[in-house]
Amino acid sequence: MGGEVGRRDFLKIAGAGVLGLIVGAGVGYSIGSRGGGGGTETVTVTQTAGGQQASQQAAGGIPGKPLKIGYMYFMTGPFGTYGDMASKALEMAAEEVNNAGGILGRKVELISKDEADRERVVDNIIKMVQDEGAEILVGIDSSGDSLKLIDTIEKELQVPLIVTHAATPKLTECAKRKYIFRVSMYEEPIDVAAAILAAENYPDAAKVANIGPDYAYGWDSWAVFSSVLKELRPDIELLDPVYTKLGTTDYASYIDEFNRQKPDILFSSLWGGDAATFFKQAVQKGLFNNIKAYINPMLGATDTLKAIGDENVPQGGADIWGSGRYWFDYPPPSVYPVNKAFVDNFKSKYGEYPAYVSGTSYTALYAIKAAVERAYAEKGSWPDPDDFVKAMEDLVVAGPMGPVYVRGGDHQGMYEVYWGKLARGGGKYPHPILSDLKVFSPFKVFPEPLKTRVEC
Amino acid sequence: MKPSDYWALVLVFALLAVAPALAGPFYTRLLATGILYGTAAVGFNVLFGYTGLLSFGHAMFWGAGAYTVAIGMVKMGLSFPASLALSLLVVGVIALVTGFLSLRHTRIYFAMLTLAFGQLLYAIALKWRSMTGADEGIYGVPRPLGDVVLYYYLILGVSLVVLLALLKILKSPLGLAFRSIRDNPFRAEVVGYPVNRLRLLSYTISGLATGVAGSLYAPLQTSVNPESLYWTFSAAIVFMAILGGSRVFIGPFIGGLLYVFIQDTAMGATEYWLLATGITLGALILLLPEGIVGYIWRRLGGRLE
């Protein structure tokens, strides 16, 4: 979606797009992804619907005990908000599913471990499965943790893990994993979309700068963004990227340097508290009067926006763009009932807007449900992990962020990427928001399965 | 019969040898971690309990061992035995260099220097992406023998060899020289011991033992991360030694086993875990200064160091 689109038009387009996607997704995606593999089974959304019918019939082959799903997020410490917002959504999804009769009649029971228990991430995952009886795993905030769990999941446990936050391309794109899936957006498509956004909206931009956290995520984000931008705009000048320590409290010297260099575009993968601290200091030092655009792929996180506060949203000056894995106002609740129900229920239950991790973890539980029912429709009994994996591949599940297509080729969930402009909540929302969303089709910004610009 | 170091070792390892039959895969794995923590803590105690030097940087040996095995197996395609040999070489060199520089001082100054060198290694692991994978670490480390239970026995066997070697050294005249330096370095000097060289030797032996344990840990976890080099793990090793008791040879080993199980059962949230660790450590020092094993040892009529 390139040119400017008015809000009303945008709603119409978005609404039509969402409906179209839901209908077309299953058929289109699965046929598309299986191109050339003639003779393989065809899989469509209708099978999921068939599965739902099956769930209403009491049938044999289904264990009587509840289905234990183990999740792991940062529940305490500086990143505890992630686990809090994700587990709230998981609890809500489990409650909804259980109230509707469970999954094929089995009640869902959630158990959890704290990812902040750093030394024991691997042990605790194994404990949930081998000692506490978890049949399916969900979660993982840290990219590093997701990578160190690969062998544990694939070789030792051989139990499905649905990742809902960790965003490193290496998890799904460096090799095809068998038992690991990711229903949340990962870094690369957001950064690709950012580069397209920058190239299309700022055709005169001459200089681009970067400030990001000094670890793999910050380095990889800039590598992807800058390389795609360079392909689109070979003449653009890339300034030396700046990387800062996690938890930096004083960005003054970096901001002074940007004020001197006056880059047209400042890309920043700072996140969480760091993103808010940098932003507030940049406002104080007038940085946004010296640049044309500030582009931050992690700005669309409600806790970061809360920390920035309405009073720090500059009026005029640079365009401030933010993205994330899900934004509670997209697809617009007015045209997409799944998101409306999710946001309304979340708000009335917990008194706040769902964070992006809430949207992705909520989706994970419904993906599990859909996959179990799909496998059941084929086999007639409760799926073992291998059946479950087969049913997860090329599955389409309606999440709050829109239909998510779990691509068979790399087990990565595909859905639309959005970029929105920072605006004040203005009393309607308790924190700043993203508005004037630009939405990118996943086909435009997702690399082919098992292809990534990041070094494996 | 008074308790003896050898018999205590034999008894503990005999119990550990039958444990997997009763424990199930998860607890066997936990025991394997405990055995490695315990071996690392006994290594640490060669320096702390027997030579009188508190190192606050032993995670550097543990982490260096783990990283070298991971790099050897994943990046260089070496076999496990070759990686382990390389790891001993790397840990030995690190011990000699950091020991040479740190042992110009004793007591708190020595502790601070070891802490600084440990953090230096941590910083290198965090930055040198092409070699260490930075914050993502190295993953996909193959596990020799594959199966956790088989690997458990490999860990048990190697740890037994390490502990027997340490015990033999500590019972030898060299061990007596370490003790004399611990008890009175000035007298040791006057008697004619090359105190600095012996301290460096003790430091290197101590580092190598901890390094072997760390080397075996990477394939158990199938990954290694910068946290294995972080100072909090150095502190954990000190804690294990004091928990079990630094005045009995087997004490820190039991301390390592206990540490893993306390961590596994008593903790729900990290904050409370740190609080619990603090309270336990405070209570131990005030009420049970010789540690849990030390207390039992004394009650059985054994001799404390």
Side-chain angles (χ1 to χ4, degrees):
Chain A
M1 231 179 257
E4 293 296 316
V5 182
R7 182 164 169 82
R8 188 176 294 267
D9 291 338
F10 165 73
L11 288 182
K12 265 193 237 160
I13 294 166
V18 167
L19 291 176
L21 263 174
I22 294 174
V23 177
V27 187
Y29 284 47
S30 56
I31 292 170
S33 75
R34 285 162 189 270
T40 53
E41 48 161 346
T42 38
V43 184
T44 65
V45 184
T46 48
Q47 285 198 343
T48 312
Q52 272 154 6
Q53 257 178 357
S55 76
Q56 283 150 16
Q57 305 158 359
I62 296 170
K65 61 182 181 173
L67 169 65
K68 273 194 191 168
I69 297 177
Y71 68 84
M72 177 181 276
Y73 295 110
F74 281 93
M75 304 305 296
T76 57
F79 310 123
T81 327
Y82 286 129
D84 180 47
M85 293 304 270
S87 60
K88 278 175 175 167
L90 269 180
E91 300 282 351
M92 191 172 101
E95 206 179 297
E96 288 170 9
V97 166
N98 286 341
N99 286 342
I103 299 179
L104 299 184
R106 285 181 82 182
K107 295 277 178 203
V108 172
E109 194 183 312
L110 297 174
I111 58 173
S112 70
K113 294 275 181 252
D114 189 353
E115 199 176 335
D117 184 2
R118 305 300 301 141
E119 282 168 51
R120 295 179 35 83
V121 167
V122 173
D123 285 4
N124 276 333
I125 282 286
I126 294 175
K127 187 175 193 186
M128 283 200 281
V129 174
Q130 290 185 342
D131 194 44
E132 296 171 2
E135 292 172 46
I136 298 170
L137 299 164
V138 170
I140 310 304
D141 285 314
S142 143
S143 284
D145 289 345
S146 73
L147 297 176
K148 73 180 167 195
L149 284 168
I150 291 174
D151 273 14
T152 306
I153 296 293
E154 300 277 305
K155 294 188 180 155
E156 207 162 338
L157 297 176
Q158 308 196 328
V159 154
L161 165 66
I162 321 274
V163 173
T164 62
H165 189 192
T168 174
K170 292 179 185 176
L171 180 64
T172 50
E173 305 308 317
C174 285
K176 187 175 170 184
R177 319 294 176 197
K178 184 168 181 200
Y179 295 98
I180 298 173
F181 293 84
R182 176 161 54 195
V183 293
S184 53
M185 184 63 67
Y186 69 112
E187 288 158 27
E188 195 158 345
I190 299 183
D191 298 329
V192 170
I196 297 172
L197 177 90
E200 285 183 358
N201 284 272
Y202 309 97
D204 304 329
K207 282 193 283 189
V208 185
N210 170 70
I211 182 164
D214 196 6
Y215 72 103
Y217 169 64
W219 306 330
D220 291 344
S221 294
W222 172 245
V224 171
F225 172 80
S226 60
S227 69
V228 177
L229 186 58
K230 204 71 184 163
E231 283 162 25
L232 298 169
R233 287 277 318 276
D235 55 317
I236 212 158
E237 184 192 350
L238 304 174
L239 301 175
D240 274 346
V242 174
Y243 296 109
T244 56
K245 252 182 79 130
L246 279 181
T248 298
T249 51
D250 185 3
Y251 292 93
S253 58
Y254 307 112
I255 296 169
D256 289 342
E257 183 63 11
F258 291 136
N259 273 331
R260 199 187 57 73
Q261 292 175 328
K262 295 194 180 13
D264 300 290
I265 296 170
L266 176 59
F267 180 80
S268 173
S269 51
L270 293 176
W271 54 273
D274 292 353
T277 308
F278 172 80
F279 193 88
K280 287 192 269 191
Q281 292 174 6
V283 170
Q284 276 168 16
K285 287 186 161 277
L287 175 64
F288 298 120
N289 296 322
N290 288 327
I291 62 175
K292 288 190 185 130
Y294 174 73
I295 299 180
N296 183 326
M298 294 290 277
L299 200 61
T302 47
D303 59 314
T304 307
L305 294 169
K306 251 182 241 169
I308 287 174
D310 253 11
E311 67 282 6
N312 287 309
V313 176
Q315 302 292 74
D319 294 336
I320 294 157
W321 292 97
S323 181
R325 279 77 145 173
Y326 157 70
W327 176 248
F328 63 82
D329 229 6
Y330 185 82
S334 54
V335 297
Y336 182 46
V338 175
N339 195 27
K340 180 175 166 49
F342 173 65
V343 174
D344 288 352
N345 292 340
F346 194 94
K347 247 181 87 185
S348 69
K349 199 170 161 74
Y350 302 115
E352 54 193 324
Y353 282 99
Y356 70 74
V357 288
S358 316
T360 55
S361 55
Y362 182 84
T363 306
L365 202 90
Y366 278 95
I368 291 170
K369 181 171 188 284
V372 168
E373 288 169 351
R374 181 185 189 181
Y376 181 82
E378 252 178 52
K379 201 185 164 197
S381 65
W382 188 269
D384 61 25
D386 288 23
D387 299 329
F388 179 86
V389 163
K390 218 174 119 220
M392 274 295 287
E393 288 183 345
D394 296 315
L395 178 80
V396 179
V397 58
M401 68 288 270
V404 177
Y405 164 61
V406 183
R407 186 158 68 171
D410 59 355
H411 290 188
Q412 172 61 50
M414 290 178 86
Y415 54 94
E416 293 169 308
V417 174
Y418 72 85
W419 277 91
K421 277 187 191 168
L422 187 69
R424 297 193 169 176
K428 191 176 171 226
Y429 299 97
H431 46 69
I433 55 157
L434 299 174
S435 66
D436 302 330
L437 297 199
K438 286 195 180 298
V439 177
F440 297 80
S441 155
F443 302 108
K444 198 173 169 188
V445 291
F446 270 70
E448 291 292 301
L450 307 180
K451 293 247 160 60
T452 173
R453 288 171 181 81
V454 168
E455 207 178 305
C456 281
Chain B
M1 194 177 94
K2 283 184 181 175
S4 103
D5 288 330
Y6 278 111
W7 284 113
L9 202 60
V10 168
L11 177 67
V12 169
F13 273 76
L15 289 175
L16 287 171
V18 296
L22 313 163
F26 173 70
Y27 288 98
T28 300
R29 206 170 183 291
L30 213 57
L31 274 174
T33 305
I35 292 166
L36 293 176
Y37 280 9
T39 304
V42 173
F44 160 82
N45 203 42
V46 169
L47 192 63
F48 176 64
Y50 289 86
T51 318
L53 287 165
L54 171 60
S55 156
F56 222 77
H58 256 54
M60 114 177 100
F61 305 121
W62 171 275
Y67 266 101
T68 311
V69 162
I71 290 167
M73 294 182 83
V74 176
K75 307 228 159 178
M76 298 162 69
L78 298 177
S79 68
F80 176 70
S83 304
L84 189 60
L86 181 66
S87 160
L88 285 178
L89 188 71
V90 169
V91 172
V93 169
I94 289 174
L96 283 172
V97 172
T98 60
F100 176 76
L101 295 168
S102 312
L103 285 165
R104 290 148 182 263
H105 299 279
T106 53
R107 291 174 297 171
I108 186 74
Y109 308 102
F110 169 76
M112 287 297 114
L113 280 169
T114 53
L115 173 66
F117 283 120
Q119 287 300 93
L120 182 71
L121 241 66
Y122 170 72
I124 292 171
L126 215 48
K127 295 287 164 188
W128 193 4
R129 194 178 192 188
S130 58
M131 186 60 94
T132 64
D135 57 292
E136 289 170 349
I138 298 169
Y139 50 94
V141 181
R143 184 184 298 144
L145 311 175
D147 179 61
V148 167
V149 176
L150 290 177
Y151 191 61
Y152 172 90
Y153 283 105
L154 181 68
I155 285 175
L156 195 68
V158 174
S159 297
L160 183 62
V161 170
V162 170
L163 295 192
L164 284 173
L166 290 181
L167 191 54
K168 185 120 185 87
I169 290 169
L170 292 173
K171 297 267 181 210
S172 73
L174 182 62
L176 290 173
F178 290 165
R179 285 185 187 77
S180 81
I181 292 171
R182 173 195 68 194
D183 294 338
N184 192 333
F186 305 106
R187 183 177 292 169
E189 185 101 57
V190 171
V191 166
Y193 283 128
V195 170
N196 278 339
R197 272 195 0 233
L198 287 174
R199 276 183 174 145
L200 184 58
L201 190 58
S202 169
Y203 181 88
T204 308
I205 291 169
S206 168
L208 281 171
T210 303
V212 171
S215 305
L216 294 172
Y217 188 62
L220 177 68
Q221 292 287 79
T222 69
S223 65
V224 55
N225 284 73
E227 276 119 40
S228 64
L229 284 161
Y230 200 52
W231 70 268
T232 49
F233 191 65
S234 295
I237 294 175
V238 178
F239 179 72
M240 292 167 207
I242 294 174
L243 178 70
S246 61
R247 297 171 67 190
V248 182
F249 180 76
I250 197 84
F253 187 78
I254 304 293
L257 284 170
L258 286 174
Y259 180 86
V260 168
F261 280 88
I262 295 171
Q263 219 186 14
D264 183 62
T265 49
M267 69 173 300
T270 317
E271 287 145 334
Y272 303 127
W273 162 243
L274 289 175
L275 187 69
T277 311
I279 291 172
T280 316
L281 190 59
L284 267 177
I285 290 167
L286 290 174
L287 303 173
L288 217 61
E290 67 261 76
I292 292 168
V293 179
Y295 175 76
I296 297 169
W297 202 264
R298 187 161 55 76
R299 296 306 296 263
L300 290 174
R303 202 171 61 83
L304 295 176
E305 283 296 326

